[in-house]
Amino acid sequence: MDERERALDTAHRRAGEFLGTLDERPVWPRASLDEMLSAFGGPLPEDGADAATVVDEIARLADPGLVAIPGGRFFGFVIGGTQPAALAADWLVSAWDQNSGSSLLTPATVAMERVAGEWMLDLLGLPATASVGFVTGGQLANFACLAAARAAVLSRVGWDVAENGLRSAPEIRFVVGADRHSSIDRAARFLGIGTREIVIVDSDDQGRMRPGALARALDAEDGPLIVCMQAGEVHTGAFDDFDLLIPIARRHRAWVHVDGAFGLWAAASPSLRALMAGADAADSWATDAHKTLNVPYDCGMAIVRDPADSIAAFRTGGDYLIYSGLDPWDVTPELSRRARGVPAWAALRALGRSGVARMLDRLHANAVAMARGLAGIDRVEVLNDVDYTQVMFCLDSDDATRALGAAILADGTSAMTGAEWRGRAVLRCSMSSWVTTDGDVARTVAAIRDLVAA
Ligand SMILES: *Cc1c(COP(=O)(O)O)cnc(C)c1O
């Protein structure tokens, strides 16, 4: 074997060893950042080393600092594991090293990405002619969609923001729900819309925007207007009522954006699809494949109803009308980049339409089982309606909830993250991994029961 083959062979073996430990290793990392910094740190060595030795060293040193995200009992944030076909395809992406910004250079990967986008639009019930920009994640998907929105709402009042900038532009009213994801505010910030300029609409006990409050917020509004709605609130999993809300926004000629980083996927399951009713009437949608579709990081999608709007925000020079088709760099902020659509194609091909639906139903069933198990523990209260993949719970005092959160991580059977909801400390379980079994849920509930009793 030559050096490259030995390095790849080592990576393959070491990856298999890591994946083989997932069922038994503590889910949370055993090593701290400082310990990892001293493991990897020190001055840059003067002399190089053999590739396979380097890979082996990485695997050995990193191991105690790795979190068992690809296993069945990681429920923190909203994350998801990795489908086998997507993981292996991701290795090919690195081996191929295709710079996939333009179709001229890399037709194979650009074609796979375009087809993955078309398949997704079909699965998610979105317009087949929308543009799909593959970006790093939900944050950049929100940014890319809202950049298209900004260009479009200003263009409707005769202002070309690409040419004239924002300094003297007509004011944009930027309207969000009280329980939006923080990446919406950040996207607004990147687009020149300050946090204090954001108009916040009241939400209900599950975090859904209140239609009456939206109507009041938009009263007499007729200038450039963007309204951000949400499919899947990160604590409760709740979906805005698009059937009610979008017509209200439309009466004021708003651009409607839906942040559906994990929620958009509900549309791929016949039994969960009703959650997304009416969402297809929006102008743009942000989602992640690295969450609910279970592909490796990084893979988000910025979906824009009229590709001309994303082109207006991102075209790289020249007259966009001369392009016969869409190049990836016409609809995203990036130029050079990895072929992140390939693992998405692989996951969709491996699962098929029925497999994606089954996976979604499984995630929801896991959430229902987790909620039921947790609710059966003395002192535990489940706080949300478990309509989708999220379970939020607490104990009878904030201190007890926080202590339980720390104890769960130290125990290592599972991992979940804490938050605040309506002034109370809570713990949240996101059931986003295709790997999670009934046994994983039962093991987690049993461990939490013991910790609460102790
Ligand atoms: C995770 C998430 C985001 C951000 O996505 P990243 O992939 O982390 O950039 C945005 N909105 C919602 C609702 C999310 O759950």
Side-chain angles (χ1 to χ4, degrees), residues 78 136-142 180-184 186 230-234 259-263 286-288 290-291 297 299-300 428:
V78 180
T136 51
Q139 171 71 74
L140 261 283
N142 279 326
R180 71 212 173 272
H181 191 268
S182 59
S183 61
I184 293 289
R186 245 169 131 230
Q230 183 163 260
E233 201 281 333
V234 288
D259 176 6
F262 62 103
T287 195
D288 272 328
H290 61 219
K291 288 180 177 171
Y297 288 94
C299 192
R428 6 181 337 281

Side-chain angles (χ1 to χ4, degrees), residues 101-104 110 114 323 325-332:
S102 154
S103 55
L104 191 68
V110 171
R114 194 176 297 170
Y323 293 106
L326 281 187
D327 270 330
W329 63 32
D330 291 324
V331 295
T332 70

